[in-house]
Amino acid sequence: MTKADCRPYDWLMVKADFVTGLAFAALGIATVVESLRMPAFAELNAEPYTAPGVVPGLLGAALALLGALLSLRALAAPRPAHVAEDAPAHAWPRVAAAFALCMVYAGVLVSRVPFQLATFVFILAFILTFELWDGNLRARWLRPTIVAVLIAGLISFGIGYVFQAIFLIRLP
């Protein structure tokens, strides 16, 4: 993307990405620090992978890394010549839709249906909602829908496998 390709409000998104990336990196680092303070149960000869701080520590490290990458990507983004004062009006309905999908997942699906099925439905609904929102599903819907089903299936299976088989955590 060149400077000429930037829409006026793109700079606001770049600034938001930079600040959000810093916030996520700080949260990830704090999570790693706190997970290291959790007991390891070494005195009980427990397996190191069963310590309560392992999963939060790994998630915190991933969050810190991805937050730092988001901030670095924002720094490398081109700056438009003209900067708008307000965020685009069309962004708020998308935020509301994402929030609603998350609330349905956490408040309705999890603990009422098997975890992997709930995760599959959530991921599929999320992908299809935003593909439809952007108009990508209106003209040719079959291929993006198949890809969304595959992505949702692989991710929900992967999450279930990692937590149940590797970390030995019983999912709801």
Side-chain angles (χ1 to χ4, degrees):
M1 178 181 341
T2 65
K3 206 179 228 187
D5 295 332
C6 291
R7 294 176 298 227
Y9 58 82
D10 283 345
W11 175 234
L12 291 173
M13 297 307 293
V14 169
K15 285 172 44 178
D17 284 352
F18 178 73
V19 172
T20 303
L22 289 179
F24 279 130
L27 179 62
I29 291 168
T31 303
V32 169
V33 168
E34 288 301 314
S35 71
L36 291 173
R37 293 180 50 196
M38 295 179 83
F41 301 124
E43 64 277 359
L44 300 176
N45 295 325
E47 289 290 325
Y49 297 118
T50 61
V54 172
V55 173
L58 290 173
L59 293 174
L63 190 62
L65 174 68
L66 294 175
L69 289 175
L70 180 62
S71 289
L72 290 174
R73 189 181 107 191
L75 282 177
R79 274 77 170 158
H82 171 70
V83 177
E85 296 300 320
D86 296 324
H90 65 78
W92 296 113
R94 295 172 68 98
V95 170
F99 180 77
L101 285 168
C102 290
M103 291 299 102
V104 167
Y105 175 66
V108 177
L109 292 176
V110 172
S111 78
R112 288 184 175 81
V113 297
F115 183 81
Q116 285 177 306
L117 178 61
T119 304
F120 173 80
V121 168
F122 168 71
I123 294 170
L124 182 64
F126 204 93
I127 292 171
L128 293 179
T129 296
F130 290 103
E131 285 289 321
L132 183 61
W133 202 302
D134 290 336
N136 296 341
L137 279 180
R138 292 184 186 140
R140 295 178 293 174
W141 60 271
L142 184 60
R143 185 167 186 219
T145 302
I146 291 171
V147 170
V149 167
L150 291 173
I151 291 171
L154 288 172
I155 291 174
S156 63
F157 173 78
I159 290 171
Y161 178 78
V162 166
F163 279 93
Q164 291 177 327
I166 296 175
F167 295 125
L168 304 175
I169 296 173
R170 201 176 118 247
L171 296 174

